[in-house]
Amino acid sequence: MSVLILHRGPLEASPYHEWLADYEGEVLLLACQAQLDLFAERLPLGHPFYAHLEAFADFDRPGPVEDRALELAARHGVTHLIAVHELVMDRAARLRELLGLPGQGVESVLPFRDKVVMKEQAIAAGVEVAPYTAKVTTALARDFAGEHGFPLVLKPRDGAGSTGLRMIAGEQDLAEVLAELPAEAGAAGDLLLEAYVPGRMCHVDGLVVDGRVVLAWPSQYQYALASFRDDPGGRIDLTLDRDDPLSGRLLELAERMLAHLPTPVDTAFHAEVFHTPDGRLVLCEIACRTGGAQIRQVIRTLFGVDISEYWVRAQLGLPLPALAGGTRLEPRSMAGQWLLMKRPGEVRRVPSGPAPEQDWVEHFQVFVRPGQVMREAEFSSDFLAVAVASAPTRALVEERLRALGEWFEERTEIAAPQPV
């Protein structure tokens, strides 16, 4: 018995040696070197918990990782394969099918990763989606703009983390985008052009174990996800109160999608839904993975459970103590996250210690240091600092997060970048 983990992202955030301390088999891990470098981490070579550790400079290129995975599977008798990062799930699914391993297969991954298939499935489930076209040729894009107006949203069909997303404000923007766009990409259906949906973006995050939703809760972003490169202020995301009528509607929509899709029997999920000014709920997308940013910490605050840890343990059939009673977990409080993106300039001053000693500060972390020269944020989780707060109500969570943000900004100095 052994488990092979394909890991992309910081290892510090996924302490498998703690999560799987009671696992009786071997643990093998293949990691992405570029991601370790990005977070200034080193592979813990020689760690007694791991039977094999290896990092790949070309992790994101299909081939080398798969070859090593097949080799290790034969050598160690791999019985399970784990991958919690969205950009690795389709590769992990193909490997499971090649090796005859349990877990999510290719057909299950597709509607969670391919936004066109996802939208088709949503429509079949009676869930509204934004008007879209997957054929982004010059003629079709102009026809689409003529029918739906501006702004429009252009994004990769299989994108993640807002990478590659473009907001198209008007005719000039559209002309520039079409001029830059390789003709074959638009004609092949690799991109998605969507009508803009007004309103606030909400999200529902939860966990499915043995085919049953065991915990889930909705939140609402107080910012635009795609603005991470030019948003200098704190970005706040808040859970919805128990008695908010929107809470029940969002939970129902997410569970309707999960019931309609080929949802894995054990999975985390993250659904993003627009709440329009006229009260409609419009699905943006749904993914079978843990939400990004500090959503894990928010869920931990609500339910006392690390959703990624329980997801991994569930796949291996390990005990899940918080779920021993068999009842669905309910939130213990409300919570929210405050996120400050990196921005160009030199870090002159930044708080070096923890946030103010308040029992409502559930998590606080700074990702830069004095003397560091920052560029603009490269992706939607490229943070300068983050915090998670709790309170009995959403309104009090927001008040506390904004106060914490002010405290941080007062103690932070970023020198403007020097002209080139």
Side-chain angles (χ1 to χ4, degrees), residues 15 47 145 159 166 228 249 299 304 307 325-326 337 355 401 407 409 418:
H47 195 296
R166 294 279 297 271
F228 64 87
R249 294 179 63 200
I299 293 294
I307 195 169
Q337 54 179 329
L401 284 174
W407 172 89
E409 292 280 13
Q418 296 298 316

Side-chain angles (χ1 to χ4, degrees), residues 10-79:
L11 269 173
E12 181 184 12
S14 299
Y16 298 108
H17 62 288
E18 297 176 2
W19 292 357
L20 304 179
D22 55 342
Y23 180 67
E24 296 181 353
E26 292 182 313
V27 178
L28 323 166
L29 186 141
L30 304 180
C32 174
Q33 185 63 57
Q35 290 283 300
L36 296 178
D37 293 342
L38 180 64
F39 293 96
E41 290 187 346
R42 293 184 179 180
L43 206 62
L45 298 174
H47 195 296
F49 175 76
Y50 296 100
H52 184 90
L53 278 171
E54 187 173 358
F56 288 76
D58 52 357
F59 184 92
D60 289 334
R61 180 170 68 86
V65 172
E66 284 81 355
D67 290 344
R68 178 70 80 223
L70 293 172
E71 176 188 329
L72 290 171
R75 187 192 313 165
H76 293 267
V78 167
T79 54

Side-chain angles (χ1 to χ4, degrees), residues 284-320:
C284 177
E285 57 187 65
I286 184 169
C288 54
R289 45 92 176 165
T290 309
Q294 297 301 300
I295 287 174
R296 271 176 58 193
Q297 294 289 346
V298 170
I299 293 294
R300 184 198 293 268
T301 300
L302 264 62
F303 299 104
V305 165
D306 186 313
I307 195 169
S308 290
E309 176 185 3
Y310 267 46
W311 175 22
V312 170
R313 290 180 62 84
Q315 292 177 79
L316 296 175
L318 296 174
L320 306 174

Side-chain angles (χ1 to χ4, degrees), residues 75-90:
R75 187 192 313 165
H76 293 267
V78 167
T79 54
H80 292 85
L81 194 151
I82 299 292
V84 297
H85 195 286
E86 188 169 14
L87 295 181
V88 191
M89 287 182 174
D90 52 349

